[in-house]
Amino acid sequence: MSLRLGWLAEVLGDSPTLNLSSQAQALIKAGEPVINLTAGEPDFPTPDPVLAAARAALADGHIRYTASAGIPELREKVAAYYTAASGLPYAANEVIVSNGAKQVLFNALSVLLNEGDRVAIPVPYWVSYPAQVTALRGKVIEVAPSRGWKVTPEDLERSGAREARALILNSPVNPTGAVYDRAELAAIAEWCRSGDFFILADEIYEDLVYTGAGHVSLVQVAPDLRHRIVRISGLSKSYAMTGWRVGFGLADKPTIDAMTRLQSHSTSNVCTIAQKAALAAFDCRPQVAEMRQAFHRRRDALVAALAGVGGVRFAVPDGAFYLMLDCSEVIDPARRREGCWRLASHLLEKQKLATIPGEAFGAPGCLRISFARSEAELREAVARLRVGLRGFPG
Ligand SMILES: Cc1ncc(COP(=O)(O)O)c(C=O)c1O
């Protein structure tokens, strides 16, 4: 065939997280006793009222297209929810409902970037950030933290983020579970004031914070920057609704309108039944709290078990359901460039333990562990990890 695919087909790799996750799932299907710590989703069922609302939507014949930005009742509910939760007034026309937070991000980047524009992304990052920027012919500026997992204004300045057209700030962070507190956000906001760029605040894990202070949104500490901030969230992680594909974007009306025009030409609306079901999610805050408590207990169980494992280091995650395990000490310095891919393969092959190499997220020498698993599984996983690390040739 002489016709070649376009540049993007060659540039864009598969998502390494999805690859490893499906490898682990294939082994599980084949009957192997794999403990899968690659999951980027809750293992809880979607709350019953949401399921009931979906059945009712079907029974009532809600099977047609909706408005691209979402059904008005849902946009109103989202606006009312975020108005109450953040103390900043949002109108329904400042909300878009998209196919997950992922499409909100893609819509936003699409309408904010021009070809060649740079986007500042703190490292380590969720894998889809650089992929989406690349797909839109933008350029990534990686912002490495000088200490720990969170970036500071100094890190942003040093990396040249001031030249960017947009900054993506994710909190709680996938893949580290780090959570930016009010003071850290205030410092970043102050730095943002001295520049002129958009900020995409990815808050998809906003309900999964294990500190007393809870989640703080950048826009709450810097309401004056609101016109430059696109808030990104949705039902996937907090409500155990990853497969329903309901994400929310909150921004100024002109930005939302532009995102809606794009969505109308790409995917139209989110599945009508999912939107109807999503209305019921807002009554499920007690179930969200229960799931958060369960994740909190799991986090504690994982951290307690890991404390006795030699050769690894980690920071206790304050949010989301991921922990980044620094395994660089167990890797032969001569083979550091190969990173943790060999270690992850070794653990999967020898110990039936599935993890994701930190290299996938820009964190060399680390493994990402998801604690969206039962406490018993997590304890067994750490026992296997301990044996696996001991048997790893380095
Ligand atoms: C940081 C982050 N943002 C966005 C998403 C996408 O969420 P959704 O499933 O709602 O598209 C994910 C999913 O893994 C994520 O980890």
Side-chain angles (χ1 to χ4, degrees):
M1 189 171 82
S2 56
L3 253 185
R4 289 186 49 193
L5 299 177
W7 70 279
L8 188 57
E10 287 174 21
V11 167
L12 221 49
D14 288 338
S15 159
T17 53
L18 289 183
N19 268 354
L20 275 151
S21 188
S22 46
Q23 219 174 305
Q25 266 153 19
L27 284 172
I28 292 167
K29 216 169 166 195
E32 300 274 3
V34 172
I35 298 184
N36 187 358
L37 303 186
T38 67
E41 58 185 342
D43 54 338
F44 298 113
T46 296
D48 282 338
V50 177
L51 302 178
R55 285 190 202 101
L58 260 182
D60 295 346
H62 290 289
I63 44 108
R64 309 251 179 248
Y65 291 133
T66 72
S68 278
I71 54 176
E73 314 89 278
L74 184 54
R75 294 176 81 192
E76 270 155 30
K77 268 219 157 140
V78 174
Y81 176 81
Y82 282 97
T83 299
S86 59
L88 294 161
Y90 282 100
N93 62 15
E94 293 173 312
V95 172
I96 184 171
V97 182
S98 301
N99 284 278
K102 202 174 242 182
Q103 193 190 19
V104 178
L105 178 74
F106 195 74
N107 285 338
L109 287 170
S110 302
V111 303
L112 299 179
L113 298 186
N114 295 310
E115 188 172 342
D117 275 348
R118 280 170 281 191
V119 179
I121 302 179
V123 182
Y125 43 72
W126 178 47
V127 292
S128 292
Y129 296 149
Q132 290 199 5
V133 170
T134 303
L136 292 165
R137 296 180 191 250
K139 292 196 172 70
V140 172
I141 297 177
E142 292 195 355
V143 184
S146 42
R147 215 167 49 85
W149 290 129
K150 291 185 263 188
V151 298
T152 60
E154 294 72 35
D155 299 327
L156 287 158
E157 188 64 37
R158 187 174 13 86
S159 61
R162 193 173 288 283
E163 304 302 315
R165 177 144 175 98
L167 161 69
I168 301 181
L169 195 69
N170 172 217
S171 177
V173 181
N174 175 7
T176 61
V179 175
Y180 286 80
D181 66 23
R182 191 173 280 277
E184 290 159 342
L185 288 173
I188 290 176
E190 187 53 30
W191 180 82
C192 289
R193 283 190 189 97
S194 64
D196 195 17
F197 44 80
F198 295 102
I199 303 148
L200 295 114
D202 182 346
E203 302 175 349
I204 188 71
Y205 296 96
E206 62 183 300
D207 286 311
L208 300 176
V209 176
Y210 315 117
T211 61
H215 170 76
V216 183
S217 175
L218 180 68
V219 75
Q220 278 173 284
V221 299
D224 57 308
L225 296 179
R226 183 179 159 160
H227 60 291
R228 287 160 54 184
I229 298 176
V230 180
R231 275 174 94 163
I232 299 169
S233 196
L235 303 181
S236 300
K237 316 286 179 170
S238 312
Y239 296 80
M241 288 179 64
T242 45
W244 296 74
R245 311 311 299 133
V246 181
F248 310 130
L250 293 101
D252 273 7
K253 185 173 177 300
T255 311
I256 293 296
D257 286 348
M259 290 164 71
T260 303
R261 289 196 293 279
L262 174 67
Q263 186 163 297
S264 77
H265 294 298
S266 57
T267 56
S268 301
N269 55 272
V270 169
C271 166
T272 307
I273 296 153
Q275 290 192 67
K276 284 284 182 185
L279 290 169
F282 291 89
D283 301 326
C284 298
R285 297 304 294 171
Q287 290 92 323
V288 170
E290 265 171 45
M291 288 190 268
R292 174 175 49 248
Q293 283 154 15
F295 282 124
H296 195 161
R297 285 194 298 274
R298 291 163 168 200
R299 194 270 320 249
D300 289 347
L302 176 66
V303 163
L306 281 173
V309 179
V312 296
R313 287 175 298 151
F314 60 92
V316 175
D318 284 332
F321 36 70
Y322 309 106
L323 180 145
M324 199 54 116
L325 198 63
D326 184 344
C327 302
S328 45
E329 260 180 48
V330 303
I331 296 172
D332 179 349
R335 306 191 74 166
R336 285 249 161 94
R337 284 189 55 197
E338 295 164 57
C340 272
W341 295 99
R342 277 172 47 253
L343 177 58
S345 302
H346 168 84
L347 292 173
L348 187 55
E349 261 171 49
K350 305 282 190 223
Q351 295 300 322
K352 306 284 179 259
L353 181 63
T355 55
I356 301 183
E359 280 75 8
F361 312 94
C366 296
L367 291 177
R368 191 194 75 171
I369 290 179
S370 160
F371 53 91
R373 283 286 164 266
S374 73
E375 289 169 55
E377 273 182 298
L378 291 171
R379 286 196 198 91
E380 168 62 17
V382 174
R384 292 187 192 188
L385 175 76
R386 193 193 296 262
V387 179
L389 287 172
R390 232 181 278 139
F392 185 58

